[in-house]
């Protein structure tokens, strides 16, 4: 299976997703934030009325033969077995890959099965008897337990991993390598472990042998006092990593990704000569932003959607400094952008004052855009809609092909900004009907923002960009 990604915007040909599993329906209010969910969700609505449309859109664009003229896939069909990875009727595409199915595949091998049961039992502190019980489970039930923590009888052995729906955070494909994550929160440790086993052992990823990069703690970390260790962990999540051009990677330093991990990843990529340029973007470490893909994503070579308050933060900061000197408390957000690059076999560095300057440089110098760089702002740059709609993922879009992206339907002002920038706005429910009736061909869709129903999906604090792990795009 070919694995290659060198941009955020070229034709998407293969990705990994994870459909909302029953563990999401077990999140209770008292544990929601501990499990990194912002709210409890109505699982049936999230699946049937929202996420299934996401999958339909992906299949029509990436693997139309799997969905065209298939009655079980049509809107209004009496059950959703076609979309349920636990069912025999599941669509089983090799272009829209389901993580749960990949996990089930490797569990067929008894050696891997025993190793993974032991590893999960260790990190989840299961009893020895529970570990023995896992070994007796059939393949289907064991797969379900390892993801949801719950068996067929409804017994809970350990917490669910509701964030697994956000497969972007598992890792990121960088040209023909993959950088695996090291999550910042214990609530995501199990999904990271499961992902390692899948990428190192599934036959689909045989060609990745020797090209999987992991973030590790160095030996000095183990010698630190325990109270210092937790504050100096090397952590990195895929939402903070963007492959924006064949030679250029962005890494966010955020609430979830540490400077130490970003530096380690950059060093390993440079040493392996995977690319020649890495830009580190330090954003405010707070829940509002979480990852860099919550504040900006790319739509075309020359088009980006972003939160306006962070676009030219340095300029705003300079203006506010006058008032700081007079005693007014600072209000401007701070971003720090450092770019490291290899030139004549030497590592050099430079800085960008503003996020927009960096994005403009990528469009013009890395992607060779001859058009003016366009910035579409969350909430159309209007108060209070910019912040409100950024919270519900107005800046977090997945590009299917250049100029065609999936977003959420609740971000009205951002949609107006896209229209003003020349994009057509299309609701996923309408577009799917047109595909089903043969009125529209996916190949003919251009400059379009496709809006998913998102009342429940948006409660989870992640958009379509988060819900995707692209592993193959057409090269730039």
């Amino acid at each position: 299976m070919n694995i290659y990604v060198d941009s955020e915007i070229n034709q998407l040909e293969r990705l990994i997703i994870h459909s909302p599993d029953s563990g999401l329906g077990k999140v209770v209010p008292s544990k929601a934030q501990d499990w990194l969910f912002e709210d409890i969700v109505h699982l049936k609505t999230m699946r049937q009325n929202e996420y299934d449309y996401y999958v339909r859109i992906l299949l029509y664009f990436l693997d139309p033969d799997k969905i065209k003229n298939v009655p079980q896939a049509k809107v209004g069909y009496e059950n959703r077995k076609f979309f349920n990875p636990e069912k025999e009727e599941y669509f089983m595409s090799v272009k829209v890959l389901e993580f749960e199915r990949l996990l089930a595949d490797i569990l067929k091998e008894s050696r891997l099965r025993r190793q993974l049961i032991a590893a999960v039992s260790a990190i989840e502190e299961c009893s020895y008897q529970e570990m023995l019980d896992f070994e007796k489970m059939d393949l289907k039930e064991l797969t379900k337990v390892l993801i949801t923590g719950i068996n067929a009888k409804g017994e809970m052995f350990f917490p669910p991993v509701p964030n697994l729906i956000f497969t972007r955070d598992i890792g990121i494909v960088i040209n023909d390598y993959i950088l695996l994550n090291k999550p910042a929160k214990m609530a995501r440790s199990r999904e990271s472990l499961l992902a390692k086993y899948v990428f190192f052992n599934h036959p689909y990823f045989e060609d990745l042998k020797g090209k999987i990069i992991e973030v590790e703690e160095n030996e000095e970390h183990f010698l630190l006092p325990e109270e210092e260790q937790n504050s100096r962990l090397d952590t990195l999540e895929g939402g903070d990593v963007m492959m924006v051009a064949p030679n250029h990677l962005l890494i966010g330093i955020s609430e979830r990704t540490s400077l130490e991990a970003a530096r380690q990843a950059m060093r390993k990529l440079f040493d392996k000569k995977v690319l020649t340029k890495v830009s580190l973007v330090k954003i405010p470490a707070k829940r509002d932003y979480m990852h860099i893909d919550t504040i900006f994503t790319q739509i075309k070579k020359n088009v980006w959607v972003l939160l306006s308050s962070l676009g030219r933060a340095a300029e705003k900061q300079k203006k506010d400094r006058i008032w700081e000197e007079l005693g007014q408390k600072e209000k401007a957000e701070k971003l720090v952008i450092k770019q490291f690059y290899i030139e004549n076999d030497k590592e050099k560095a430079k800085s960008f004052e503003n996020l927009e300057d960096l994005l403009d440089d990528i469009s013009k110098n890395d992607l060779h855009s001859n058009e003016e760089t366009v910035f579409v702002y969350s909430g159309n740059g209007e108060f209070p809609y910019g912040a409100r709609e950024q919270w519900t993922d107005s800046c977090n879009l997945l590009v299917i092909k250049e100029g065609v992206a999936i977003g959420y339907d609740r971000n009205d002002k951002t949609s107006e900004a896209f229209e003003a920038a020349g994009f057509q706005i299309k609701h996923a429910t309408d577009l799917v009907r047109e595909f089903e009736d043969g009125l529209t061909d996916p190949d003919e869709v251009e400059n379009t923002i496709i809006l998913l129903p998102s009342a429940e999906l948006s409660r989870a604090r992640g958009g379509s960009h988060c819900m995707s792990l692209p592993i193959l795009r057409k090269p730039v």
Side-chain angles (χ1 to χ4, degrees):
M1 181 172 282
N2 293 335
I3 308 294
Y4 191 86
V5 174
D6 67 2
S7 80
E8 285 279 318
I9 54 170
N10 273 30
Q11 178 82 45
L12 180 61
E13 297 185 329
R14 185 173 292 127
L15 81 167
I16 298 173
I17 61 169
H18 176 58
S19 299
D21 58 65
S22 59
L24 276 74
K26 300 297 190 294
V27 177
V28 294
S30 60
K31 291 297 292 182
Q33 293 204 354
D34 290 345
W35 294 342
L36 310 181
F37 248 50
E38 205 60 42
D39 200 353
I40 59 171
V41 300
H42 187 252
L43 187 56
K44 183 178 179 181
T45 301
M46 175 186 267
R47 284 170 164 170
Q48 189 169 307
N49 298 345
E50 299 179 358
Y51 195 88
D52 287 358
Y53 278 99
Y54 176 58
V55 177
R56 285 186 181 100
I57 294 293
L58 291 173
L59 286 173
Y60 271 112
F61 278 96
L62 274 65
D63 201 354
D65 290 342
K66 284 288 181 183
I67 192 168
K68 276 184 179 179
N69 305 315
V70 178
Q72 300 93 322
K74 287 187 178 293
V75 175
Y77 190 73
E78 60 266 26
N79 65 57
R80 57 179 301 277
K81 292 180 181 179
F82 181 82
F83 299 102
N84 187 342
E86 296 179 11
K87 303 297 182 182
E88 291 182 8
E89 296 87 343
Y90 187 66
F91 59 81
M92 287 301 291
S93 169
V94 294
K95 296 182 179 180
V96 181
L97 294 164
E98 164 59 51
F99 184 84
E100 186 171 333
R101 287 282 190 164
L102 298 175
L103 179 62
D105 287 343
I106 66 166
L107 289 173
K108 292 173 185 174
E109 187 178 330
S110 58
R111 175 184 61 86
L112 293 174
R113 185 184 176 109
R114 286 195 301 272
Q115 285 181 2
L116 195 45
I117 287 172
V120 169
S121 297
I123 65 170
E124 297 294 354
E125 299 184 341
C126 295
S127 69
Y128 192 82
Q129 185 57 52
E130 284 176 332
M131 185 172 68
L132 296 179
D133 291 341
F134 296 153
E135 291 184 351
K136 297 173 186 175
M137 290 179 178
D138 62 35
L139 176 64
K140 185 176 177 181
E141 184 173 19
L142 179 60
T143 305
K144 180 181 174 68
V145 167
L146 292 180
I147 290 176
T148 68
I150 305 158
N151 69 6
K153 296 178 182 178
E155 299 170 312
M156 183 177 282
F157 295 95
F158 34 76
V161 282
N163 287 268
L164 186 56
I165 188 177
F166 303 129
T167 50
R168 175 77 55 157
D169 287 326
I170 288 172
I172 185 83
V173 175
I174 303 167
N175 293 331
D176 56 347
Y177 280 69
I178 186 166
L179 172 65
L180 295 183
N181 84 338
K182 188 171 179 292
K185 308 291 184 181
M186 280 297 295
R188 303 200 75 170
S189 294
R190 190 165 83 251
E191 61 187 277
S192 177
L193 176 66
L194 298 178
K196 284 184 183 183
Y197 270 80
V198 166
F199 284 110
F200 274 100
N201 297 289
H202 200 288
Y204 283 168
F205 308 116
E206 182 70 27
D207 288 346
L208 274 176
K209 293 290 171 61
K211 294 185 174 183
I212 301 176
I213 297 173
E214 297 181 82
V215 175
E216 310 158 278
E217 300 295 345
N218 63 36
E219 59 185 28
E220 293 177 6
H221 180 266
F222 304 112
L223 302 176
L224 291 171
E226 192 170 310
E227 61 271 15
E228 288 184 41
Q229 283 183 335
N230 290 333
S231 63
R232 293 183 57 183
L233 291 171
D234 286 21
T235 62
L236 180 142
E237 297 187 1
D240 275 319
V241 188
M242 292 183 186
M243 190 62 189
V244 292
N247 70 328
H248 191 178
L249 186 74
L250 302 189
I251 304 179
I253 299 165
S254 67
E255 182 196 47
R256 302 287 179 85
T257 296
S258 67
L259 170 60
E260 292 82 3
R263 187 176 181 179
Q264 181 187 153
M266 180 181 75
R267 188 65 50 228
K268 289 183 175 183
L269 290 163
F270 279 169
D271 289 347
K272 292 177 181 291
K273 295 180 169 36
V274 181
L275 38 73
T276 58
K277 189 188 297 184
V278 174
S279 294
L280 304 185
V281 183
K282 184 179 181 182
I283 64 175
K286 60 185 193 179
R287 178 69 173 151
D288 296 26
Y289 303 148
M290 197 186 327
H291 298 133
I292 59 171
D293 72 353
T294 69
I295 60 170
F296 68 91
T297 46
Q298 189 174 14
I299 309 299
K300 297 178 72 172
K301 279 185 180 181
N302 68 316
V303 179
W304 304 77
V305 56
L306 73 156
L307 181 64
S308 62
S309 62
L310 294 180
R312 307 207 68 78
E315 289 181 6
K316 176 75 163 60
Q317 197 179 332
K318 285 179 181 177
K319 290 176 183 175
D320 284 358
R321 201 164 292 147
I322 299 168
W323 301 104
E324 285 176 52
E325 292 170 2
L326 294 170
Q328 182 173 299
K329 194 173 181 180
E330 178 188 355
K331 292 181 181 179
E333 301 275 25
K334 288 184 180 179
L335 268 74
V336 179
I337 303 169
K338 300 290 183 183
Q339 187 173 96
F340 300 86
Y341 58 100
I342 306 297
E343 190 176 271
N344 298 324
D345 294 326
K346 292 184 179 179
E347 186 177 308
K348 299 182 179 180
K350 66 179 181 179
S351 300
F352 288 85
E353 278 211 332
N354 294 292
L355 178 60
E356 287 181 11
D357 296 336
L358 171 67
L359 304 184
D360 181 56
D361 184 73
I362 293 167
S363 292
K364 290 178 178 174
N365 297 321
D366 291 323
L367 297 172
H368 310 295
S369 170
N370 296 318
E371 301 177 75
E372 181 183 353
T373 305
V374 174
F375 297 109
V376 175
Y377 296 114
S378 173
N380 210 5
E382 299 175 24
F383 177 83
Y385 306 107
R388 280 177 58 86
E389 295 191 3
Q390 182 272 332
W391 181 258
T392 51
D393 300 295
S394 59
C395 300
N396 189 277
L397 280 72
L398 170 67
V399 174
I400 304 175
K401 59 182 179 179
E402 188 174 3
V404 178
I406 303 174
Y408 281 167
D409 66 352
R410 62 183 298 153
N411 299 316
D412 300 331
K413 292 287 186 179
T414 310
S415 295
E416 289 176 12
F418 271 115
E419 281 189 300
F423 289 85
Q424 181 182 11
I425 302 300
K426 201 80 177 178
H427 286 265
T429 50
D430 297 332
L431 188 59
V432 166
R433 290 285 192 187
E434 291 177 18
F435 288 158
E436 288 181 351
D437 295 340
L439 301 175
T440 303
D441 187 322
D443 291 337
E444 296 172 358
V445 177
E446 295 181 347
N447 291 324
T448 300
I449 306 300
I450 303 166
L451 302 182
L452 287 177
S454 56
E456 297 301 316
L457 283 172
S458 63
R459 293 176 188 270
R461 288 289 288 121
S464 59
H465 194 269
C466 292
M467 295 191 301
S468 66
L469 171 48
I471 58 175
L472 183 64
R473 287 187 184 271
K474 282 190 177 178
V476 171

